[in-house]
Amino acid sequence: MSAILGFIKFAAALCLALAIFFVVNLASGGLFTNRDLEEPAYVILRDEEEAPAAPAEEQSFEELLAAADPAAGERVFKECRACHRVEEGVHMVGPSLYNVVGRAVASVSEFKYSDAMTGLDGEWTPERIDAFITNPRDYAPGTAMTFAGLDKAADRAAVIAYLQSLGM
């Protein structure tokens, strides 16, 4: 019997707490909300420095590549060094990337490419390299390249500028 009485007291206390919360919420809403105003009572002015900046226009790949710094690309290329080298004829898990810009796809005779890469035609243009290193597995499904890709367009442009600077 006392367990039932304890449960009833608990339920009554919970209902009373909810009723108090509802009444306080209703009263405070009535006190602090004035729906009769036609315009705001005050306006918060911002300094020009605090105003949110307008979103910058995205640059095209050509603009990014033209402004890219090969030295910055060399730093970003450290991610690629696990599998690639830039010395002529030095291959690792991936082929040498020396003079890759303008070279035919899968054209290094002493390197064994995956079927996904040998199935591609054409040459490695800057735009094509950009598309490939954005997400290699989307660009060439079935490629053996496990690299996830470079997210930032500026980083990709810098790497391509670095690779272009090597064959000169």
Side-chain angles (χ1 to χ4, degrees):
M1 183 78 168
S2 67
I4 294 174
L5 187 59
F7 177 74
I8 292 173
K9 287 180 182 179
F10 175 75
L14 184 64
C15 289
L16 181 63
L18 288 173
I20 290 171
F21 175 76
F22 177 74
V23 169
V24 168
N25 187 29
L26 188 64
S28 65
L31 287 174
F32 296 109
T33 304
N34 189 347
R35 291 175 174 67
D36 297 335
L37 294 177
E38 292 181 15
E39 55 185 72
Y42 58 90
V43 178
I44 299 174
L45 298 176
R46 294 184 178 197
D47 292 338
E48 288 183 24
E49 297 173 19
E50 292 181 21
E57 290 184 26
E58 276 194 43
Q59 291 181 305
S60 69
F61 173 72
E62 291 78 18
E63 292 170 331
L64 286 172
L65 186 58
D69 178 20
E74 185 175 9
R75 287 189 296 276
V76 176
F77 188 79
K78 289 178 182 176
E79 294 182 44
C80 311
R81 280 211 175 271
C83 299
H84 294 279
R85 294 293 182 263
V86 292
E87 296 81 23
E88 188 172 8
V90 179
H91 308 296
M92 299 291 290
V93 176
S96 170
L97 297 180
Y98 177 79
N99 211 13
V100 69
V101 181
R103 182 172 76 197
V105 175
S107 63
V108 176
S109 60
E110 58 277 352
F111 186 80
K112 174 85 169 97
Y113 291 95
S114 65
D115 292 340
M117 295 306 292
T118 57
L120 297 175
D121 294 327
E123 64 180 37
W124 286 116
T125 62
E127 294 79 15
R128 192 169 195 182
I129 294 171
D130 177 58
F132 181 68
I133 64 177
T134 298
N135 190 331
R137 291 185 175 244
D138 281 352
Y139 187 84
T143 183
M145 187 165 165
T146 58
F147 182 63
L150 292 172
D151 293 332
K152 295 181 181 175
D155 286 348
R156 294 191 305 269
V159 166
I160 294 167
Y162 170 63
L163 292 173
Q164 283 179 317
S165 72
L166 297 174
M168 296 179 163

